Amino acid sequence: MREDPYRAFMPYPDAAAPSAPAGALQGLSFAVKDVIDVAGYPTGCGNPVKLAASGVRTKTAPVVQALLDAGARFAGKTQTDEFAYSILGRNIHFGSPVNPAAPGRISGGSSSGSAVAVAARQVDFALGTDTAGSLRAPASYCGVFGIRPTWGRVDNAGVEPLSPSYDTVGWFARSAETLAAVGDVLLGDDPTPLPGAARFLVDRACFGLARPEAAAALEVALRRVELRLGCFDIAAAAPNLDNLCWALRHMQSWEAWEAHKTFIERHAPVMNASLAERFASGKDVTETLLAESRALAARFRNHLADLLGEGTVLVLPTMPSPPPFLAEAEASMEDFRNRTLRLMCPSSLSGFPQVTIPVHDGETGPLGLSLLGPAGSDRSLIQLAARVAEAARERIA
Amino acid sequence: MREDPYRAFMPYPDAAAPSAPAGALQGLSFAVKDVIDVAGYPTGCGNPVKLAASGVRTKTAPVVQALLDAGARFAGKTQTDEFAYSILGRNIHFGSPVNPAAPGRISGGSSSGSAVAVAARQVDFALGTDTAGSLRAPASYCGVFGIRPTWGRVDNAGVEPLSPSYDTVGWFARSAETLAAVGDVLLGDDPTPLPGAARFLVDRACFGLARPEAAAALEVALRRVELRLGCFDIAAAAPNLDNLCWALRHMQSWEAWEAHKTFIERHAPVMNASLAERFASGKDVTETLLAESRALAARFRNHLADLLGEGTVLVLPTMPSPPPFLAEAEASMEDFRNRTLRLMCPSSLSGFPQVTIPVHDGETGPLGLSLLGPAGSDRSLIQLAARVAEAARERIA
């Protein structure tokens, strides 16, 4: 078994997961969040009772099979917050992964182990999932690239559902090049690629959610990008983030309860207290509230589609701050969650793709700058992110 | 998957565990504590990281195979306290089993699920293990028969070790007849059977450890037995229980740390805080302390062998009280543990067999009266226990 000082991996015994002898991803190793099936392994979902009931899976999820068929080498399954339903990166049963980019601080989650394994250079890339930030949060906190693709573009078969209307499979990498190489394999051609000269729209409402030190560091990066990639427009693409956030919470918790109630009522699995509350809150979402939330989300999606057209990219902070200590996040949990979830709303509610770029000035700690593009622009969005990342790194002479 | 209102079972998917079409145990179903290997299942040991690292076992432990070969039907694997190293019957990861004989109170452990499954009539008998009370405690608390056999008499292969010098595999049943039927299969002939007219020696030191209400209820049972089965002698077979108890604690914690340190140092599994302390205390046991403890245990074993000869049976309370509430036990943990462990010393330190008989007067809650016989007297001890149980039940006219 591998050495795993960051506790990124589940300690399952190795099973055979043969990859093709050649292919576009040959030479690259990858890890898979433990909510995605790999034949020969259980799918534990971060909860011991789920793990016990899982049994060893006999089918590999198509998204993993595609990577194996492209020659990538499977290196193991990674830790997740219980039921993939938290963005902290904490696990009370299996132990929380250690953030290699900010030891002592949370790694973010729920795709905690995948982000950590990439940040710690244990693998070249890793699959995660993102419903309302589960990939974006740990990417930002661990200082790596990550993509939440257009909803529905990557096959969710063999992936444990949380809230199916928002669930996506995405991936982490240390470089935009590797992020792109995986996208080449998993995404096919972009139905609506961005034009060569994309227009940037900086979302002031979203930047307003960043903590001052984070906002300052991201502004420096933005100014560097602007100097090289052209003028930014400024807007508030999502002016009603409070309502959107509540809509997302209602819909997510309702769908999460629907997805898991049979298991939870049958097994009463031990889970952390705040997760139990979130599941319970799903029971209280009325049909009226659900319908209103869905209508609000639909209006927002149309609004964002109009705003972005096929050539505009929204720029926003991935997370409101560098990774906090667990006690800090817990001490102000409601504020932490609301601030974070507001930033997750644009992509989660629209289904549009979001790429997060690591920004680390060495003082504030890991941050992420995000680009959100129109539906179906994923691969060209990664290409643009590569240019933005390069520009953001270059000091202004 | 079965209904499991008492949370006795691990929710593993069923695997094939074929039993012989005929045999001495045909028609009886049994469960197996999840520290004993059954092919097709993991061996989780009550800890999620152990479960993850276990993989599916490919060999069935000989003790289980012997039951299958005798025609008994395997019904599933049962819950255990983490690493089988607690007598509370609590599991912070998988949820604690419910005591069917005293709902709301602890079931006792670590063979919690096996005792509960038998008490709840989910199976006819069940395998557990006992190092320093892990079978006797839940048998007493759940109101069922149980035997901790002579150390070394039942094969420990395929059983997760805790403290190998004291580890035994035993079993629970609702009747002495079933307890005996299993013994017929697992034990072979007694090397040193008890004579037809065994002498009873009531251990006053051990009865002195019982709480007043427990002592009173057990005295009633004793008087009934005495009336029918002849005169009791009274002695203090283990007058130095304080020292013996500390010797057992030192040796057990030293061996437990030896058995598990590689795994614990590698994986740092999350475990309940008091268990972590017990493991850590094993590191502090010096060679001198260990040697002194072993010498004391050896002297005690010789003393007990002399006292019992081949025809005397020690009578003692199995546990000091009916099952407490978890909070009660935790509030006075050191007292609870010391009082209990003293009662476990005679069998654990000597390796002599102990059978516990359920005594329940309907008022005090479940209690156990124990018979401890000389080494190798197991099957005749069960026969004697059957007579004692019958006598203890009969009201004095």
Side-chain angles (χ1 to χ4, degrees):
Chain A
M1 198 173 283
R2 74 180 63 71
E3 289 300 318
D4 188 20
Y6 298 102
R7 209 191 258 282
F9 286 87
M10 293 295 293
Y12 299 138
D14 289 335
S19 47
L25 300 179
Q26 206 190 358
L28 298 182
S29 62
F30 73 105
V32 174
K33 183 181 185 180
D34 194 23
V35 297
I36 304 174
D37 289 349
V38 178
Y41 293 84
T43 298
C45 301
N47 179 272
V49 180
K50 285 290 282 184
L51 170 58
S54 155
V56 172
R57 301 300 164 104
T58 53
K59 285 186 186 169
T60 295
V63 62
V64 175
Q65 193 58 52
L67 299 170
L68 294 171
D69 291 345
R73 184 176 62 77
F74 172 70
K77 301 198 78 176
T78 52
Q79 283 234 59
T80 169
D81 292 45
E82 294 181 85
F83 295 88
Y85 198 0
S86 163
I87 55 168
L88 292 179
R90 173 184 49 166
N91 194 300
I92 61 170
H93 305 290
F94 296 100
S96 305
V98 173
N99 186 336
R105 293 166 184 270
I106 63 176
S107 65
S110 62
S111 309
S112 53
S114 285
V116 166
V118 168
R121 314 185 79 84
Q122 294 176 294
V123 289
D124 294 302
F125 68 95
L127 293 181
T129 60
D130 189 310
T131 302
S134 275
L135 190 134
R136 290 166 282 173
S140 181
Y141 281 176
C142 293
V144 298
F145 287 88
I147 178 169
R148 174 190 156 94
T150 302
W151 181 84
R153 217 174 150 186
V154 174
D155 194 344
N156 272 351
V159 182
E160 180 78 13
L162 176 58
S163 304
S165 303
Y166 311 98
D167 292 346
T168 59
V169 175
W171 55 99
F172 304 91
R174 284 186 303 281
S175 73
E177 291 66 30
T178 302
L179 204 73
V182 176
D184 294 351
V185 168
L186 294 182
L187 295 169
D189 289 336
D190 275 345
T192 53
L194 294 168
R199 190 173 73 106
F200 292 101
L201 199 61
V202 175
D203 193 316
R204 281 295 148 201
C206 287
F207 271 89
L209 291 165
R211 303 262 179 207
E213 78 282 12
L218 291 172
E219 287 289 347
V220 171
L222 272 185
R223 244 177 293 136
R224 291 175 183 170
V225 175
E226 190 174 21
L227 263 175
R228 283 171 185 80
L229 301 183
C231 221
F232 284 171
D233 285 333
I234 287 171
N240 53 345
L241 278 171
D242 286 4
N243 292 340
L244 290 172
C245 176
W246 278 107
L248 178 57
R249 287 180 74 158
H250 294 322
M251 294 187 293
Q252 185 189 16
S253 64
W254 185 83
E255 290 198 7
W257 178 244
E258 286 295 307
H260 293 288
K261 67 182 175 189
T262 305
F263 185 87
I264 291 173
E265 288 179 342
R266 167 151 221 146
H267 294 289
V270 177
M271 59 178 84
N272 90 58
S274 75
L275 175 58
E277 280 172 26
R278 287 200 293 293
F279 270 123
S281 73
K283 296 185 225 180
D284 300 332
V285 176
T286 61
E287 281 189 35
T288 310
L289 197 55
L290 190 64
E292 283 173 3
S293 297
R294 284 175 172 161
L296 189 68
R299 285 199 301 275
F300 172 68
R301 188 184 196 286
N302 291 337
H303 161 72
L304 202 61
D306 289 345
L307 190 75
L308 299 186
E310 291 187 359
T312 300
V313 166
L314 202 67
V315 183
L316 67 163
T318 309
M319 290 291 277
S321 75
F325 292 102
L326 179 60
E328 271 182 88
E330 286 185 325
S332 55
M333 198 58 218
E334 192 62 20
D335 176 68
F336 172 84
R337 189 183 296 153
N338 279 328
R339 210 177 262 265
T340 304
L341 266 185
R342 279 164 176 70
L343 291 178
M344 299 308 163
C345 281
S347 172
S348 286
L349 290 175
S350 68
F352 294 179
Q354 181 174 340
V355 174
T356 174
I357 299 159
V359 172
H360 196 329
D361 66 4
E363 286 183 15
T364 52
L367 288 165
L369 185 68
S370 269
L371 306 182
L372 185 150
S377 68
D378 308 56
R379 284 178 65 191
S380 54
L381 191 67
I382 296 176
Q383 297 304 334
L384 183 62
R387 292 166 58 207
V388 168
E390 198 177 348
R393 268 197 302 270
E394 285 175 29
R395 293 190 173 278
I396 297 162
Chain B
M1 198 173 288
R2 75 180 61 75
E3 289 299 320
D4 187 20
Y6 298 101
R7 209 191 258 284
F9 286 88
M10 293 294 294
Y12 299 138
D14 289 333
S19 47
L25 301 178
Q26 205 190 0
L28 298 182
S29 62
F30 72 105
V32 175
K33 184 181 185 180
D34 194 23
V35 297
I36 303 174
D37 289 349
V38 178
Y41 292 84
T43 299
C45 301
N47 179 273
V49 179
K50 285 290 283 184
L51 171 57
S54 154
V56 172
R57 301 300 164 102
T58 52
K59 284 186 186 168
T60 294
V63 61
V64 176
Q65 192 59 51
L67 299 170
L68 295 171
D69 291 346
R73 185 176 62 77
F74 172 71
K77 301 197 77 176
T78 52
Q79 282 235 59
T80 168
D81 293 45
E82 293 182 84
F83 294 87
Y85 198 0
S86 162
I87 55 166
L88 292 178
R90 172 184 51 168
N91 194 298
I92 61 171
H93 305 290
F94 296 99
S96 304
V98 173
N99 186 337
R105 293 166 185 271
I106 62 175
S107 65
S110 63
S111 308
S112 53
S114 284
V116 166
V118 169
R121 313 185 80 84
Q122 293 177 295
V123 290
D124 294 301
F125 68 95
L127 293 181
T129 61
D130 188 310
T131 302
S134 276
L135 190 134
R136 290 166 282 173
S140 181
Y141 282 178
C142 293
V144 297
F145 286 88
I147 177 169
R148 173 189 157 94
T150 302
W151 181 84
R153 216 172 150 187
V154 175
D155 193 344
N156 272 351
V159 181
E160 181 77 10
L162 175 58
S163 303
S165 304
Y166 312 98
D167 292 347
T168 58
V169 175
W171 54 98
F172 304 92
R174 284 186 303 281
S175 72
E177 290 66 31
T178 303
L179 203 72
V182 176
D184 295 349
V185 167
L186 294 182
L187 295 171
D189 288 337
D190 276 345
T192 52
L194 293 169
R199 190 173 73 107
F200 292 99
L201 198 60
V202 175
D203 193 315
R204 282 294 149 202
C206 288
F207 271 90
L209 291 165
R211 303 262 180 208
E213 77 280 16
L218 291 172
E219 288 289 348
V220 172
L222 272 186
R223 242 176 296 137
R224 292 177 185 171
V225 175
E226 190 174 20
L227 264 177
R228 283 174 186 76
L229 300 184
C231 220
F232 285 172
D233 285 333
I234 287 172
N240 53 345
L241 279 171
D242 286 5
N243 293 339
L244 291 172
C245 177
W246 278 107
L248 178 57
R249 287 179 74 158
H250 294 323
M251 294 187 292
Q252 185 189 18
S253 65
W254 185 84
E255 290 198 8
W257 178 243
E258 285 297 306
H260 293 289
K261 67 182 175 188
T262 305
F263 184 87
I264 291 172
E265 287 179 341
R266 166 149 223 149
H267 294 290
V270 177
M271 60 179 81
N272 89 58
S274 76
L275 175 58
E277 279 171 29
R278 285 199 294 292
F279 271 123
S281 73
K283 295 185 226 180
D284 298 333
V285 176
T286 61
E287 280 188 34
T288 311
L289 198 54
L290 190 64
E292 283 173 2
S293 298
R294 284 176 173 160
L296 189 67
R299 284 199 302 276
F300 173 67
R301 187 184 196 287
N302 291 337
H303 162 72
L304 203 59
D306 289 344
L307 190 73
L308 299 187
E310 291 189 357
T312 300
V313 166
L314 201 67
V315 183
L316 67 164
T318 311
M319 290 291 277
S321 74
F325 291 103
L326 179 60
E328 271 181 86
E330 286 185 325
S332 55
M333 198 60 218
E334 192 61 19
D335 176 67
F336 172 83
R337 190 183 297 151
N338 280 328
R339 207 177 265 265
T340 305
L341 267 185
R342 279 163 177 70
L343 291 179
M344 300 307 162
C345 280
S347 173
S348 286
L349 290 175
S350 67
F352 293 177
Q354 182 175 339
V355 174
T356 173
I357 298 159
V359 172
H360 196 328
D361 67 2
E363 284 182 16
T364 52
L367 287 166
L369 185 68
S370 270
L371 306 182
L372 185 150
S377 67
D378 309 56
R379 285 176 66 190
S380 53
L381 191 66
I382 297 175
Q383 296 305 334
L384 184 62
R387 292 166 57 208
V388 168
E390 198 177 348
R393 267 198 303 270
E394 282 173 32
R395 291 188 175 280
I396 298 163

